[in-house]
Amino acid sequence: MKIKRQKHAKKHLSFYKHNFRFREPYQVLLDGTFCQAALKNQIQIKEQMPKYLMGEVQLCTTSCVIKELESLGKELYGAKLIAQRFQVRHCAHYQSPVGGSACLLSMVADDNSHHYFIATQDHELATKVKKRAGVPLMFIIQNTIVLDKPSPKSVAHVQAVQAGQMLPEHQKHNIEHLKDEQGVSEATERRGKKRKRVGGPNPLSCLKKKKKNEPKAPTPPSEQKKRKRKRKRNKSSVNPTVQTA
Ligand SMILES: [Zn+2]
């Protein structure tokens, strides 16, 4: 039974590792309901979580979760004590705390860039978490911690990536990084082209005009200076033609 459970966890974990870049230490965000369930089922989260995930784990929560537990009084005092031992991650509600579930949901916004797992017994929160791709969900069932199988949303995201419909975030970054390294990022590409085109036609047109007006006279240094100025001015005026070309 235990081995089967671990096998599933390993399989689901590798899904998140390969497709969403999850790495150790795994960042597990826990809410009050999970702490309460752990207390009831005598689960030592700190001991069991790393065993179950077969790796280093960083247990964390938010001040909103702790404040909510505080507000719920005696019944959740034990859960509050557990939650207080976790690392408190910065959330966006420093000024006015929100409910624990709303807070945790906000923590996995923006494509879950911090690679959080969400550990909760709150079905409503779980349903909302499943609607986002790349957020592993954990809960306690029958006295044990369980990593839920990847949600249909996560699976669909991965299939879309594999079908080439979208690039995973990290690959976008990698490509940009490679471009930067080789000096072919979009910005430098554009700048390079502009320089060539701006630098190209201007001296030629200047020369032709000079030849027509005064072909034999050598250009005094003062005029050379003027020419340089003209080039600079023309940069902006040439731009529209660059765009149409
Ligand atoms: Zn918060």
Side-chain angles (χ1 to χ4, degrees), residues 56-233:
E56 218 181 303
V57 170
Q58 183 71 62
L59 300 171
C60 44
T61 189
T62 67
S63 59
C64 290
V65 167
I66 293 169
K67 273 178 187 148
E68 190 180 55
L69 285 171
E70 276 169 356
S71 74
L72 293 170
K74 274 185 189 172
E75 260 179 68
L76 289 158
Y77 182 72
K80 191 202 85 175
L81 288 183
I82 292 171
Q84 273 177 333
R85 283 186 227 141
F86 304 147
Q87 213 176 72
V88 178
R89 287 293 157 92
H90 177 76
C91 68
H93 320 108
Y94 181 73
Q95 301 262 328
S96 46
V98 297
S101 62
C103 183
L104 290 201
L105 208 58
S106 78
M107 297 294 281
V108 294
D110 302 327
D111 298 328
N112 194 16
S113 55
H114 292 282
H115 300 104
Y116 285 125
F117 290 61
I118 297 274
T120 183
Q121 298 294 98
D122 180 344
H123 285 288
E124 214 174 293
L125 174 59
T127 307
K128 285 175 185 166
V129 166
K130 282 180 194 175
K131 283 178 186 165
R132 298 186 179 190
V135 188
L137 184 68
M138 303 189 82
F139 46 80
I140 289 166
I141 193 163
Q142 291 167 348
N143 300 347
T144 48
I145 298 171
V146 173
L147 172 64
D148 199 20
K149 66 175 188 290
S151 70
K153 182 84 182 175
S154 289
V155 174
H157 178 89
V158 169
Q159 282 170 348
V161 168
Q162 282 167 352
Q165 285 163 12
M166 49 174 115
L167 274 178
E169 282 306 308
H170 67 273
Q171 274 190 18
K172 275 186 213 167
H173 290 309
N174 283 352
I175 287 167
E176 273 162 27
H177 181 68
L178 276 172
K179 275 185 170 182
D180 277 340
E181 265 187 349
Q182 297 178 0
V184 289
S185 79
E186 273 181 44
T188 53
E189 248 177 336
R190 257 184 248 142
R191 260 182 249 141
K193 275 176 190 171
K194 268 181 197 170
R195 264 180 212 153
K196 274 177 193 170
R197 283 177 190 175
V198 168
N202 287 342
L204 284 173
S205 59
C206 286
L207 278 173
K208 274 175 192 171
K209 276 175 193 172
K210 288 276 154 65
K211 275 175 188 169
K212 275 175 191 172
N213 295 338
E214 33 178 358
K216 280 168 193 172
T219 48
S222 61
E223 275 198 27
Q224 279 179 347
K225 271 180 193 173
K226 271 182 196 170
R227 245 194 248 163
K228 275 178 191 170
R229 269 183 218 146
K230 265 183 192 172
R231 274 179 216 167
K232 276 178 191 170
R233 258 182 239 148

Side-chain angles (χ1 to χ4, degrees), residues 230-243:
K230 265 183 192 172
R231 274 179 216 167
K232 276 178 191 170
R233 258 182 239 148
N234 281 339
K235 264 188 187 178
S236 55
S237 63
V238 167
N239 273 348
T241 59
V242 170
Q243 278 173 350

